[in-house]
Amino acid sequence: MAKFLVQKSEPLYGEVHISGAKNSVLPLMAAAILPGEPCTIRDVPKLLDVTVMEDILKSLGGTVKLQDDGTLDIDMSAMNSAEVGWELASKMRASFIVMGPLLAKKGKVKVYMPGGCTIGERPVDLHLKGFEALGAEVIVKENCVEATAGPDGLIGASIYLDFPSVGATENIMMAAVLADGVTYIENAAEEPEIVDLANFLNKMGASIKGAGTDTIKIEGVNKLKGTAHTVIPDRIETGTYMLAAAITRGELMIKNIVPDHVRSIAAKLRECGVVVELTDEGLYVNGGMNPLTATDIKTLPYPGFPTDIQSPFMAFLTTVDGSSTVIETVFENRFMHVAELNRMGANIRTKGNRAMIQGGKELEGARVAATDLRAGAAMVLAGLVAKGTTEISSIYHVERGYEDFVEKFRALGANILRIEE
């Protein structure tokens, strides 16, 4: 099993280029099922999750090729299956995102229950509620879900989401683009990844309005065409490097970013005294210019503070003098990293969805685990400022979501190694 060895490092310094967004590229790849013509997606990060999605599309009969420059060519014109088996579905949560486009394109779909990070229940009932509203018959079995469109195909409908789920919004949106009539998704997720997907679908010939707001209108069309699209930069990777500069009291220029996508992270870092400035080159972050103070954060759906940055931000708060409170409202099981940080000498107590942090104590290297993707990044950040060596296991979680993770950090001066046992 591979692991990271991280030792206390000097303040990070230099420039880092942000990769294409993992949480955007996976639904974009799924959307390439819809036109039946070749599609090209650019700036695709080389990640384990992308490889899994490639394998899913190939298992459906598609042709997929990722070039060295990050250009991904997908041709689903020879697709001959509408079933995603357990072996592939169990590898990541995002495997379920193919259900909407398969239902729209083939009229039926069978997908085994997805896997991925263990950060909460993340039920798929909102996805299924949307498909049923569009006229599909949905059958839930012990380990899989089957959906079949009615005799006249999918029919446009008004759908209200009880929670603004990103995955459900994406799945319903892709199912509705070929439905007969108009579909409204109310209380829709507003994340930038939703907008990116809508832009890709509209390039194919779809008619989607309102993406990025809480109400999305989709007018069904008869056919879509192949197209090309460039993935948006990864806002969570951006936030991770912002926090890397902050926790090491370093100085980074972060390139290929969309400032609006990280506004909430920048605001909280500024509250702590970190310098965050937008320049012509990118986002300048300096954690060593001012004395730093504690702050409180509360995760919320976009445009609120992202749950995916909660654990890296908590690692940073352990190094700042004062008391902080972190409230997690998106996932009910996203404090598993607390025990790992406490193993390194942090002083964090949890009660329900709250974590109380008494910061300012120097961390010490320890053997810890990456309990999920973003928690793994948090462990690395903590290791960069901890005395001695931090040994991080279960790093496959981290490699699911960060491209060239070790190489990028080492280029900034981080003392990190990846070793195989």
Side-chain angles (χ1 to χ4, degrees), residues 175-396:
V177 289
L178 292 177
D180 182 19
V182 180
T183 296
Y184 290 92
I185 306 174
E186 298 180 84
N187 198 30
E190 301 177 29
E191 273 75 357
E193 294 79 12
I194 301 291
V195 179
D196 204 28
L197 176 60
N199 289 339
F200 186 44
L201 292 169
N202 283 340
K203 287 181 181 179
M204 294 180 185
S207 178
I208 302 172
K209 297 179 181 178
T213 74
D214 64 358
T215 302
I216 300 175
K217 178 184 178 183
I218 304 135
E219 295 186 48
V221 297
N222 293 324
K223 185 179 179 182
L224 297 174
K225 62 184 180 182
T227 191
H229 185 76
T230 300
V231 186
I232 59 172
D234 195 313
R235 62 193 174 95
I236 306 303
E237 185 188 22
T238 303
T240 301
Y241 284 104
M242 293 167 72
L243 284 160
I247 197 169
T248 66
R249 311 309 192 247
E251 184 179 9
L252 297 183
M253 180 64 71
I254 306 172
K255 298 188 171 184
N256 190 36
I257 56 102
V258 179
D260 278 354
H261 293 178
V262 293
R263 182 179 295 174
S264 62
I265 306 169
K268 283 297 174 182
L269 283 174
R270 290 187 183 113
E271 284 182 19
C272 295
V274 178
V275 174
V276 183
E277 295 178 350
L278 183 63
T279 74
D280 291 339
E281 291 185 72
L283 196 65
Y284 173 77
V285 184
N286 190 325
M289 189 173 291
N290 302 316
L292 301 185
T293 57
T295 192
D296 300 326
I297 62 172
K298 180 180 182 180
T299 67
L300 291 166
Y302 188 87
F305 191 92
T307 180
D308 280 352
I309 287 294
Q310 180 253 104
S311 49
F313 207 101
M314 189 183 294
F316 163 65
L317 289 174
T318 67
T319 71
V320 176
D321 288 335
S323 300
S324 304
T325 300
V326 173
I327 301 175
E328 173 60 55
T329 73
V330 179
F331 291 123
E332 76 282 356
N333 194 25
R334 205 159 200 175
F335 282 156
M336 290 190 294
H337 54 278
V338 168
E340 307 303 303
L341 287 171
N342 282 343
R343 193 170 283 122
M344 299 177 69
N347 184 356
I348 307 170
R349 294 179 296 109
T350 60
K351 185 177 181 180
N353 68 337
R354 291 174 178 261
M356 287 69 73
I357 304 147
Q358 189 63 46
K361 184 179 177 182
E362 185 174 14
L363 301 179
E364 296 187 4
R367 290 185 177 181
V368 295
T371 54
D372 63 67
L373 166 54
R374 308 305 174 182
M379 293 304 109
V380 170
L381 296 186
L384 293 175
V385 296
K387 289 193 300 183
T389 300
T390 300
E391 184 179 302
I392 305 168
S393 60
S394 301
I395 64 169
Y396 62 90

Side-chain angles (χ1 to χ4, degrees), residues 65-84:
K65 183 178 181 182
L66 179 59
Q67 301 175 31
D68 290 340
D69 66 354
T71 299
L72 182 65
D73 296 310
I74 303 174
D75 186 352
M76 301 300 292
S77 58
M79 183 172 63
N80 55 17
S81 173
E83 178 176 336
V84 179

